[in-house]
Amino acid sequence: MKKIKDKIVGILTSTLFKATVVMVVLFTVIGFAEKQQDERVCKNIIINIEEEYDNYFIDEKDVRDLLTMNNREPLIGRSYALIKLKELEKRVKKNKLVETAEVYRDIHGDLHVQLKQRRPIARILTKLNGSWYISDQGKVFPTSDKFTARVPIIDGDYAYKLINTKFATDSMQAELFTMLEIIDKDEFLKALIAEIHIDIASVNDTTPQVTIYPQIGEQIITYGGFDQPISKLKKIKVAYKDILPLKGWATYKSISVAFKDQIICE
């Protein structure tokens, strides 16, 4: 029995020793490989900008300028031991036109940047605070000199309030954002709606009131408050798909969907 026990202990000890040797060799190889990689220099910068939605706010030159601090810190020819990839990633992400960015290197010494731009679903126009976009993630970001997206315009005395809005946490603004999301995902509404005008009804009434101006026809659409976006937008579709084609496009000058279960054409 003792011999069997000694034999088992011997096998386990031998196995443990071999496993330890394998781990030491493995870590040595990994360490050597990492050292070799750190000794490599940056040979090339490869930038891939996702343009799935045909937005061109930012180009490769802009990204290179972000990476190199406008060429004050050039990367080509620099050792990877001196390049902090996470820091480069942070530089790119600081640009408000960028939604996501990933920076990494390959075994050939090339530096890769994978970048996704923000996608706008509406554009805010203000008298004093300039022009801004609202993204499909509810983020407000500045416009670009390079490209103008074809999205509905939001203007009016209330528009400037949207610049610093947190759509996810403000319940009233969340209903406005739901409205913009529905328009963005509906090809008919997206083609129909040109302008979303938002004003305060009066000095004593702080409730925003929405008026919509369509791309086609001369009708003015009274939308009302931000509430019931699903119902109100459905009624707009009914008006433009069923009522106006039947009654004639010049028959009515105004359409109201502000009241529950009603479409008022005058």
Side-chain angles (χ1 to χ4, degrees):
M1 193 67 159
K2 187 175 182 304
K3 289 182 179 180
I4 295 173
K5 186 177 179 181
D6 290 342
K7 189 174 182 179
I8 293 172
V9 171
I11 292 171
L12 290 174
T13 303
S14 176
T15 303
L16 182 61
F17 175 75
K18 290 178 180 177
T20 302
V21 171
V22 169
M23 292 296 292
V24 170
V25 171
L26 181 61
F27 282 121
T28 302
V29 170
I30 291 173
F32 178 73
E34 286 181 347
K35 187 174 184 299
Q36 275 195 321
Q37 288 296 316
D38 285 340
E39 289 174 352
R40 287 183 179 273
V41 298
C42 179
K43 294 181 178 179
N44 191 22
I45 300 174
I46 300 171
I47 299 168
N48 181 31
I49 302 173
E50 183 181 306
E51 294 170 350
E52 180 181 353
Y53 297 99
D54 294 328
N55 292 319
Y56 306 97
F57 298 122
I58 192 167
D59 58 26
E60 288 192 16
K61 182 183 181 302
D62 296 323
V63 179
R64 287 177 186 274
D65 288 344
L66 290 168
L67 291 169
T68 63
M69 302 290 284
N70 293 316
N71 213 33
R72 291 195 301 273
E73 296 181 13
L75 295 171
I76 303 296
R78 193 176 186 185
S79 169
Y80 274 109
L82 302 175
I83 296 175
K84 297 179 180 179
L85 299 180
K86 288 298 179 185
E87 181 60 36
L88 295 181
E89 213 168 81
K90 286 179 183 178
R91 287 182 190 177
V92 177
K93 287 179 178 178
K94 279 184 180 179
N95 188 298
K96 292 187 177 181
L97 297 170
V98 175
E99 183 174 317
T100 61
E102 182 183 4
V103 178
Y104 61 93
R105 68 185 187 189
D106 63 23
I107 60 173
H108 305 294
D110 293 333
L111 184 74
H112 292 259
V113 182
Q114 295 285 133
L115 184 146
K116 182 179 180 182
Q117 303 174 84
R118 295 199 184 279
R119 186 174 78 83
I121 60 174
R123 183 179 181 184
I124 305 168
L125 290 182
T126 67
K127 294 177 181 178
L128 300 176
N129 302 92
S131 180
W132 301 77
Y133 286 117
I134 301 173
S135 82
D136 60 345
Q137 301 297 314
K139 302 291 184 182
V140 176
F141 65 100
T143 56
S144 168
D145 294 334
K146 292 183 172 66
F147 178 77
T148 301
R150 296 183 63 183
V151 292
I153 290 172
I154 300 176
D155 60 10
D157 292 339
Y158 187 86
Y160 78 95
K161 291 179 177 287
L162 301 177
I163 295 173
N164 296 312
T165 289
K166 297 190 182 301
F167 290 98
T169 56
D170 187 317
S171 58
M172 184 173 70
Q173 311 294 11
E175 289 186 306
L176 172 63
F177 185 65
T178 298
M179 171 193 181
L180 298 176
E181 284 185 304
I182 294 170
I183 293 170
D184 178 64
K185 292 172 183 176
D186 188 300
E187 291 301 323
F188 183 85
L189 291 172
K190 198 172 182 179
L192 175 69
I193 295 173
E195 179 185 347
I196 300 169
H197 187 82
I198 310 176
D199 276 328
I200 299 298
S202 67
V203 175
N204 298 322
D205 183 2
T206 58
T207 305
Q209 295 294 310
V210 179
T211 303
I212 293 175
Y213 295 90
Q215 298 272 13
I216 56 172
E218 297 181 359
Q219 294 80 21
I220 295 173
I221 305 170
T222 301
Y223 184 91
F226 294 160
D227 60 310
Q228 305 174 55
I230 297 172
S231 172
K232 288 179 178 179
L233 290 171
K234 280 183 179 178
K235 287 188 285 186
I236 291 175
K237 288 182 73 173
V238 169
Y240 277 86
K241 281 190 168 185
D242 300 328
I243 298 174
L244 291 183
L246 181 64
K247 297 292 186 178
W249 290 93
T251 304
Y252 303 112
K253 296 298 181 185
S254 66
I255 297 169
S256 176
V257 296
F259 304 103
K260 189 175 181 180
D261 300 325
Q262 294 184 50
I263 301 174
I264 302 172
C265 300
E266 296 178 331

